[in-house]
Amino acid sequence: MSIQLVRLLASRFGTGALLAAAVSAPAAAATVSGGAMTVNFDRNALAAAIAIDETPAPAMYLEEFFDAPASRSRSYNQILEDHLVPGSGEIPATGLALAVNPSQVGNLTGRRSKPTTIDFDPANFAATVNGAIGLAGVFRFRVDTGTNFNRILSGDYTLEYDAANIDAASGRSGWSLYNHVSFRAESFNLFNVVMGLDSDSFSLSGDLGLGEGYDHLNGSRGAIVGNFNLQTAVVPLPPAFLLFAAGLAGLGIGRSGVGRNA
C-alpha cells in the first residue's frame, strides 16, 4: 500500500477504512529474539583440515574466544591484540556461545557486527525466510605459518539460509555462517542440520564444515570441524501497516472536514 493511498483513505474515509485496509495488507509473520549458538570445535579435525603446517604445533588452533560482552566492548585492534588468557597457547574450543544479536547493534572502531533481520512464516519457513540472524562473538585462531603473521579472526557472523546450497549427497544444508570481521566471507557451511520450529521457539543443530573463506589457508572445503546448537525464541511480527495506521489514529488523522479545519 503506497503512502499516497494511505493518505487518500485517511482523508476520504477516515481511520476505520485505513485500519481495514491495513489488516488486509500482507506482512512478515515472525522473527527471532535472544538465545545463542553454541559452537564446539573438534581441535584435531580443525588442525587436519588446514594444509599449512610449518612446525610441530597444530596447523590451526583456537587461541582466544571473545564472547558477546567481551566482543562488543572491543575495537578491531583490541580483538586482534588482547589476551583474555595469558600467552598464545591453545585454549579449550568447546561450549563457545555466540549470542543472537537484537535488531539494532552498535560497533566500536573497525567492528562490523550485524543485527538480526530474519523474518519468516512459521507455517512455510523454507519458502518465506528472508534476512539473517546476527551473532555476537569472535574467534581468534593461530595458524602454523612459521612466521609472526599467524593470527586469523573469524566472527561477527550472520547465519543465512539459501536453499540453492542444499546437497543431499554430502548432507550440506542451506545454512551458512558468514564472517564479517574485516570482510564478508563464507566461513562455515552447516551439515546434517536438524531444525525445530514452533510458535515459541526456533532451533538448529548439526555439524560445522569449512567454507570457502578458508581456501586461502588451503583449507579442505566441507571438512567437518565441529558441531553447533542454536536456541532462540520466535517473536510474532505485527503487520507493519496496522502499526502505521494505529499511529495515524493516535494523531487524529482521518477526522471529518470540520475537525481538520478547526
Side-chain angles (χ1 to χ4, degrees), residues 52-95:
I52 297 174
D53 194 5
E54 299 297 326
T55 78
M60 189 165 97
Y61 64 85
L62 184 66
E63 178 198 10
E64 292 287 353
F65 171 58
F66 299 90
D67 63 10
S71 171
R72 288 168 177 158
S73 63
R74 284 172 166 81
S75 67
Y76 172 84
N77 287 337
Q78 289 173 317
I79 291 285
L80 187 64
E81 302 291 348
D82 283 2
H83 286 273
L84 302 180
V85 179
S88 58
E90 184 176 3
I91 67 169
T94 59

Side-chain angles (χ1 to χ4, degrees), residues 146-248:
T147 73
N148 291 329
F149 301 98
N150 62 354
R151 286 171 293 177
I152 298 293
L153 299 181
S154 184
D156 291 341
Y157 295 116
T158 52
L159 176 59
E160 303 179 24
Y161 182 84
D162 184 350
N165 291 330
I166 295 174
D167 179 52
S170 67
R172 181 177 175 181
S173 73
W175 293 97
S176 296
L177 278 175
Y178 286 86
N179 162 75
H180 293 276
V181 178
S182 299
F183 54 88
R184 176 180 166 90
E186 189 180 54
S187 289
F188 300 101
N189 300 315
L190 308 188
F191 288 75
N192 307 315
V193 169
V194 176
M195 186 175 83
L197 175 62
D198 58 33
S199 60
D200 298 317
S201 64
F202 174 59
S203 65
L204 292 174
S205 61
D207 298 320
L208 292 170
L210 281 193
E212 64 181 22
Y214 291 95
D215 286 358
H216 69 294
L217 301 177
N218 294 324
S220 179
R221 194 184 296 188
I224 302 301
V225 297
N227 58 62
F228 72 93
N229 184 282
L230 171 76
Q231 298 287 337
T232 185
V234 171
V235 181
L237 283 175
F241 286 108
L242 183 58
L243 288 179
F244 181 55
L248 292 179

Side-chain angles (χ1 to χ4, degrees), residues 92-123:
T94 59
L96 311 171
L98 303 167
V100 173
N101 278 333
S103 59
Q104 294 184 348
V105 298
N107 284 297
L108 297 181
T109 302
R111 298 295 306 286
R112 300 177 64 199
S113 186
K114 302 299 182 181
T116 291
T117 60
I118 195 168
D119 60 68
F120 53 87
D121 178 356

